[in-house]
Amino acid sequence: MRKHLISLTAGIALAAGCVDNTIVSPENAPTVDALSGALTTAGVQTLAIGVLAADRALVRGDLTYLTLTAIYARDAYRIDPNEPRYVSETLGGQPDPGSFAGGGGWTNGFVAIRAANSLLDALPGALESQVSPQQKAVTAGLVQTIKALDYYRVLELRDTIGVPIQTAKLDEVTPLSCKKNVLDYIAAVLDSGLTSLTAAGTTQLPFVPPTGFTAFGRNYRTPANLILLNRGLKGKVDVYRGLQHSSPTAGAFTAAITELTQALGGALPGAVPASSFQNGAYVTFVPTGTEGAANPLADSRVGLNPKAQAALQTGDTRSSKIVTRSSLAGQGLSTTLTYVGTPVNTANQTRPVGILRDEELVLLRAQAYIEANQLANATADLNSVHTAYGLTAYPVFADQASARTALLYEKRYSLFFEGPQRLVDLRAYGLLKAGSTLAELASDPYNTAFPIPKAEADARGGTSNLTVSCK
Amino acid sequence: MRIRALSFVVIALLCAGTAGAQQRRITGTVAAREGGAPLTSASVTVQGTTTGAYTGTDGKFSVMAPATTVSLRVRRIGYQARTIVVTTSQNDVTVALERDVLQLEAQVVTGTSTAVASENAANAVTVIAAEALTRVAAPTIDNAMQGKIAGAIVSQNSGAPGGGTQVQLRGVSSILGAYSPLYVVDGVIVNNSTIQSGLNVITNASRAGSAGNFSSSQDQSVNRIADLNPNDIESIQVLKGPSASSIYGSKGTNGVIIITTKQGTIGRPTVDFTQRVGHASLANKLGSRCFQSATEYGDWANVNLGQSKTAAAAEWTAAPTKCHDYEEEYYANDDLSYETVASLRGGTQAGTNYFVSGLVHHDNGLAPNDYYNKQALRLNVTQSFGPRFTVGANSEILHSLTQRGISGNDNTGITPGDIFSNTPSFYDLQRNADGTFPRNGSGLLPGSNPFQNADLVKTPNNTYRFIGSLTSKLSLYKTSRNSVDANFTGGIDSYSSKDRLISPATGYTEAAAFGANAGTLFNSDAALLNANINGSIVHRLAMKKFSAQTSAGFRQERRESMVTQLTGKGVIFPTVTSLASAAQTFPDQTIGLSRDFALFAQEEFFALDERLLVTAGVNTEKSSGNGDQGKFYTYPKVSASYRLPFLPSFVSEFKARAAFGRAGNLPTAGRTTFLTNLLYEGFTGTRASTIKGSPTIQPEQATEIEGGFDATALDSRVRLSATWYKKQITDLLLQAPIVPSLGFTTQYLNGGQITNRGTEIELDLTPLRRGSLIWVSNTTFAKQTGFVDDLPEGIAPFNPGVGSFSPRYGNAWIQEGASTTVIQSTVGCTGGVPASGTCAAANRILGLAGDANPDFNMGFSNQIDIGPVRLTGLLEWRKGGDVVNLTNNYFDSSNLAADTLASAKRLAEFNAAQHPYVENAGFVKLREITVGYEIPERLIRTMFRGRAESLRLELSGRNLKTWTKYTGMDPEVSNFGNQPLGRFQDVTPYPPSRLFFFSVISSF
């Protein structure tokens, strides 16, 4: 018996002696678990800058957001003997969902949205001693505005083809939503951003944002100015909610007018001075060093569609945006002109791209007035832009059609090569089709939007799983 | 889990029968049949009981046995076991044991503290004994294992001094996960990582693009098992697949190599002293083009450099030597290599056994200033306290200082092979009389002088390592039928490996490559620690009809690592080597910590007169590397072996065996989603990486079925062993695409399936045995194939990553239905090759162009003893297996290959989108050969006045000759070092060396 006891106790002693904790936190590099921990001010800063950097990556990536949309809008050509798809999959044929021409501007957008969602998730848990509730609110307001901006950017590229709305869960795949639902969602996010910004009072962001948010006529570190950006974006969204011909949102234009006026500081129609047109928030670029992020438009293979110059009125000083270049020809297209921002030099590589500047706000308000049939107000706003460029003022427009023509002209040349605004407008007014627009090539398919990338379709199990849900 | 283990013990105890009947004492002597010398430390066990004893220095033993007719089983390492029947009338016996020339009598590990005789083992376990391992001096353990393990492909990465070898057991078992076998030394799991030396900062091989341009997988570094001293090893056991390595749970997929070091023996102390002196020479070279006339060179210079023909021809005419043999000039380090091994071994009657050994080793590399220095000191002590308690401590301190020079891929024109392939051979590159080095005048690589680089650039690696373990065995309970032992082992493997790289700004290549930033320094400090403890309780039950061995226990392991690297660029003053003087510094650090815990239990059941052995075991383990760090994963094993009773007269043993086991491979990545840094206007932004981790990532599961037989015949002169196995690996760690609108591009997941099948045959013969003439021959044959059966839906065929440059040359490729080791390359041109001979990029067709896996591997080892003379040889034949010979492309592009016609043909095929660089690298290599002479005893007695026991003189050679169709330097090559796939790239490697040694081996 004693022998049994000895062995039993020995056995227990042996077994009990083991320490068996195998829980180890990653020490080598930060993981997403760090987000659910307690954030410090520095943590909030790096995450917020990460959101902005991801947004810039969307603007730069695959040459889609600025270059391909300008080609679709018939303002630009890109002729590259090493890569014929810049013509054959834009003006000469359908874009291939598997290539850069069809697949760009998608993943980068959702990476930026995920970054925004992660930060919004982590903000409430930030250390109270480091980040006050007002600082959390103003940061949330900024991030929600950028998140809405990124959804809007993806929508500008995909239009009615469908955009899924991400949830907070890292692996929850949602169906593609129809354009109306996406616009409604963007509007809702902007409104919750407004709520956060209002709750922030006068507390500014707990970090210094990049110069694109401070150096262009307005310091967006303060909630007051962030509210202006937020309302401006909401106004833009409302204009297009109203122009949704399949299911226009009632009262969208009136709401847009209110919001855009707020964004313009309450200025009356026609009362925005030309000197403030450049004020706004911008995406800035740093081409050198490890950052290596140049403005993608600084590209020796990009040229101006000659028809864009032909449509310019004589005396319009916006002609300074067009310069001559060495002949660029191939694949049935040719030009000797280009946008001033395309020659490859430091100035162009660092040229900032506006997110939403006052000149655009004025023109959007004019657009809202036109659609709301307030033509006198529309004329006033249009003239504040038109006359700033050496042209004589428009008389009050007699009808919406002539007002729209003038609006499209002003928007085209004021916001020349600054983003997909022209493409969005051509789509909204049904102008991108045979008969309304001249064909660039015999096989011109009048592409209006980019397809769902093949990677997305494949990962979802096939193109049959890409049906758009409008619930 | 622990309760269950305990209850095993309790139940077994309760089942114990009554104690014995009357007892008697049996004494005797055990001696060798040849010469009659008494054998110490022979074990004598009474069959059907747990009683046994060991013989003393005089070969005598004394054991208690029942007063009936009993069988005594007598065993001793190096001798064949015998069973002696002792009748009731006998009380004293003399046992003569036969030499075990065919190594039949090893003990095979079946658990952390259990073993069975190899005659019963149910797995094909290769056992390499000390003499076979160190027959010819090998610088590292992995070199020593080449050609000796059936089913293993042991390949050197290059000829650089100091090691760098990969052991692959039974094929490729993982794509993205760990691929090295587990090495266990005296119960301690030791580290076999490779710490990159930082060569990339001057070679820019990986074009990392980051400012610091840190170390890459092309740094030609050494996996650290090379540190160990091969002379200390008593035996190596190789558990080749999961059916045997299941006991190591989620570290066992790639096989386990169990190393046992020498222990002391009872008896008077013996001193062994070996001195070796050797010489290494260049074993193979490629040569380069020899221009025969000024016009020939003029034409070449005009085409390749754009020079005027007359000017170039004049340059050639003016050269004093028209054709240099650069490789002979450069790889000409003529100094001697030497090795001194000394050991002291003994044991006292008081139960102390000790083994002390020391090693001083110096190997010369072929390139100037390259060397491998190693020193080792070991102390193994075992102390018994009475018959019940034994404690053993093994400790080893190792130091190695290596300089491996520059070789392998580069993009700065610094590797000798790169320079030779771009320099017409009339340029004089050797040191001038005044001590300076000439600038390389060739237009292709202006300035670069490899002799100057070898003189100026320093690449030392300094490693200190300590491996120590403490083992204790306590006999808790012992009767004639039962015994319960508690075993405990704890140990650590700790090393500090420091790499330095000093490339002064005065080097022509350094200045040309880095301009204003010339002058590079690199420091890497790696500190690694592996610590593990394991404890088990073993119960042995011996009944008349059966006996059983039950074991249960736990194992805990901890691995820590910290690697800190610093690069300095723009170091202006060549004598200053502190990073503080660099214009720019770039730091980096990698930290790792992982912890594992496992519980295991095993039952080994012998029945039918010890003919049948049935084993069942289970190992359950959790690890911090898994997605769920607290989840246990279970690895079962079942095996059986049966020694047939009724055999024809000429067959003495025939054992049929079958085994099934599952092991795992810990995920090396994938459990977390990391955060990446981005820059915005110089400020750091952070967001989640686009590679999503999985919280459910789990170990890869490898399940193996193995079957075979072992037969011994013709009076133990023939031993034939054949094994067939099928190993299926599922839940592979893979990177798969993910729905991009989630905000990620790839995710880690477990999925897919690989199946490896193979055959291993070993034939050991003693063809001649007459008096003092013995000829022992060992032949192994192994054939293995592996296929990717399945890839999860959504994963398209892919290139597994590390280890390739471009499909135009050849890269690894994973595709459902194809072999795991297939090589993808260009196989044709759509629309045919145009008249220009160059296929446009868009028209190149990619396809499967070769396979890196050899068709089969054979080893031929022979040992002939004629009186005092001994001749041994080891030949390895590897048939098939392809390698991508990129070095040829260097010579082809510059048109400076020795054979211009073959070179032009290759280049034409390359341009036509064929794959001329995928070459068959099958070979026959004479790996080892020795001639030894044992000085007669009489002479030794007079020479050393009776103090010496033996003295042997030996002349040996390693890697003497290679027969191969491969056109590169060595068919065994890997630019990317140790890799699971992508091993087969040949890019200007360090050439192989041929070694000759003269040794004096003495024993006192």
Side-chain angles (χ1 to χ4, degrees), chain A residues 3-4 6-8 10-12 14-35 45-54 56 106-107 110-112 114-115 118 164 166 169-174 208-213 282-286 290-291 455-456 458-461, chain B residues 2 6 9-10 13-14 209-211 388 474 476-479 484 486-488 533 535-537 552 554 556 561 589-597 599 622-625 629-630 632 671-690 692 737-745 793-794:
Chain A
K3 294 170 196 165
H4 299 272
I6 293 173
S7 35
L8 268 170
I12 293 168
L14 200 69
C18 26
V19 176
D20 61 353
N21 176 23
T22 53
I23 310 296
V24 169
S25 305
E27 302 181 319
N28 195 40
T31 66
V32 292
D33 301 323
L35 294 173
Q45 171 171 347
T46 54
L47 289 168
I49 292 184
V51 173
L52 295 173
R56 181 173 72 178
W106 179 267
T107 310
F110 287 100
V111 170
R114 174 63 61 200
S118 306
Q166 244 183 42
K169 287 215 246 141
L170 295 185
D171 49 13
E172 186 176 348
V173 179
T174 48
V208 178
T211 56
F213 286 78
Y282 287 76
V283 175
T284 52
F285 299 95
V286 177
T290 349
E291 197 167 333
E456 179 84 17
D458 286 347
R460 280 174 185 256
Chain B
R2 298 173 207 158
L6 273 174
V9 177
V10 171
L13 287 172
L14 292 172
S210 72
R388 296 179 63 142
L474 170 67
L476 292 172
Y477 177 78
K478 197 172 170 78
T479 65
V484 178
N487 300 304
F488 176 84
I533 61 172
S536 60
I537 295 190
F554 76 95
Q556 189 196 336
S561 69
Q589 188 176 63
T590 311
I591 304 178
L593 172 62
S594 68
R595 293 201 193 113
D596 306 324
F597 179 76
L599 294 164
K622 64 175 174 174
S623 164
S624 60
Q629 293 179 324
F632 278 92
R671 60 175 302 271
T672 50
T673 309
F674 285 100
L675 298 179
T676 353
N677 281 353
L678 312 160
L679 284 175
Y680 200 135
E681 291 190 342
F683 287 99
T684 309
T686 313
R687 60 154 170 79
S689 155
T690 51
K692 183 174 170 296
I738 194 175
V739 176
S741 56
L742 288 174
F744 301 99
T745 52
E793 209 185 302

Side-chain angles (χ1 to χ4, degrees), chain B residues 325-343:
Chain B
D325 187 340
Y326 287 133
E327 284 160 299
E328 280 289 352
E329 290 172 15
Y330 185 77
Y331 295 110
N333 196 345
D334 244 353
D335 297 339
L336 294 175
S337 302
Y338 56 81
E339 181 175 272
T340 309
V341 184
S343 70

Side-chain angles (χ1 to χ4, degrees), chain B residues 108-110 123-126 169 237-242 244-248 252 254-258:
Chain B
V108 168
V109 164
T110 55
N123 283 102
V125 177
T126 297
L169 295 169
Q237 291 199 22
V238 183
L239 306 182
K240 299 183 216 177
S245 63
S246 171
I247 52 180
Y248 285 93
N254 298 305
V256 183
I257 296 178
I258 300 175

Side-chain angles (χ1 to χ4, degrees), chain B residues 599-787:
Chain B
L599 294 164
F600 59 85
Q602 180 170 263
E603 180 71 42
E604 287 160 299
F605 187 79
F606 291 85
L608 303 179
D609 197 22
E610 296 228 343
R611 292 193 172 276
L612 175 71
L613 167 63
V614 177
T615 308
V618 70
N619 179 314
T620 182
E621 188 173 310
K622 64 175 174 174
S623 164
S624 60
N626 297 329
D628 185 346
Q629 293 179 324
K631 182 170 173 186
F632 278 92
Y633 292 91
T634 309
Y635 304 102
K637 103 167 187 193
V638 170
S639 66
S641 72
Y642 185 58
R643 290 164 47 217
L644 264 57
F646 303 110
L647 298 165
S649 57
F650 61 91
V651 180
S652 41
E653 279 282 337
F654 187 94
K655 173 181 71 183
R657 49 179 164 77
F660 162 86
R662 180 153 74 227
N665 200 12
L666 282 174
T668 47
R671 60 175 302 271
T672 50
T673 309
F674 285 100
L675 298 179
T676 353
N677 281 353
L678 312 160
L679 284 175
Y680 200 135
E681 291 190 342
F683 287 99
T684 309
T686 313
R687 60 154 170 79
S689 155
T690 51
I691 304 176
K692 183 174 170 296
S694 168
T696 57
I697 210 86
Q698 63 176 50
E700 302 178 335
Q701 305 286 313
T703 313
E704 187 183 58
I705 307 173
E706 183 193 273
F709 68 86
D710 302 303
T712 315
L714 297 177
D715 193 23
S716 298
R717 285 173 59 166
V718 176
R719 178 172 167 268
L720 175 67
S721 175
T723 309
W724 173 89
Y725 65 87
K726 173 173 153 185
K727 178 160 86 165
Q728 212 163 62
I729 302 127
T730 53
D731 281 332
L732 292 159
L733 180 68
L734 292 169
Q735 280 196 340
I738 194 175
V739 176
S741 56
L742 288 174
F744 301 99
T745 52
T746 35
Q747 57 176 330
Y748 276 105
L749 48 69
N750 292 103
Q753 180 174 293
I754 288 179
T755 305
N756 289 352
R757 288 181 183 80
T759 314
E760 290 153 15
I761 301 175
E762 287 175 63
L763 179 63
D764 303 318
L765 295 173
T766 316
L768 282 177
R769 200 197 179 112
R770 202 166 297 158
S772 61
L773 169 66
I774 305 177
W775 173 16
V776 181
S777 144
N778 306 84
T779 308
T780 59
F781 170 88
K783 183 182 166 63
Q784 185 281 126
T785 56
F787 286 94

Side-chain angles (χ1 to χ4, degrees), chain B residues 13 41 164 239 294 364 439 658 673 698 715 745 805 810 844-845 942 991:
Chain B
L13 287 172
S41 303
L239 306 182
N364 250 339
R439 271 189 180 278
T673 309
Q698 63 176 50
D715 193 23
T745 52
F805 297 99
R844 294 184 200 130
I845 307 171
T942 48

Side-chain angles (χ1 to χ4, degrees), chain B residues 180-297:
Chain B
S180 165
L182 189 70
Y183 285 86
V184 181
V185 176
D186 293 333
V188 184
I189 296 175
V190 300
N191 184 290
N192 186 29
S193 314
T194 307
I195 309 292
Q196 300 300 348
S197 67
L199 201 59
N200 196 46
V201 296
I202 53 170
T203 61
N204 197 13
S206 79
R207 289 197 215 263
S210 72
N213 202 18
F214 288 120
S215 50
S216 73
S217 54
Q218 300 182 63
D219 287 358
Q220 317 297 315
S221 298
V222 174
N223 52 308
R224 297 249 64 94
I225 202 70
D227 294 332
L228 270 53
N229 179 2
N231 299 286
D232 281 344
I233 298 177
E234 176 70 61
S235 79
I236 293 184
Q237 291 199 22
V238 183
L239 306 182
K240 299 183 216 177
S243 57
S245 63
S246 171
I247 52 180
Y248 285 93
S250 59
K251 300 189 209 32
T253 302
N254 298 305
V256 183
I257 296 178
I258 300 175
I259 297 170
T260 315
T261 54
K262 293 177 177 164
Q263 300 292 322
T265 47
I266 304 174
R268 90 178 201 9
T270 46
V271 174
D272 290 296
F273 182 83
T274 304
Q275 178 65 51
R276 296 193 178 101
V277 177
H279 180 255
S281 56
L282 188 59
N284 195 12
K285 56 187 182 182
L286 298 174
S288 60
R289 183 170 179 179
C290 184
F291 290 97
Q292 298 299 325
S293 69
T295 32
E296 190 188 344
Y297 177 68

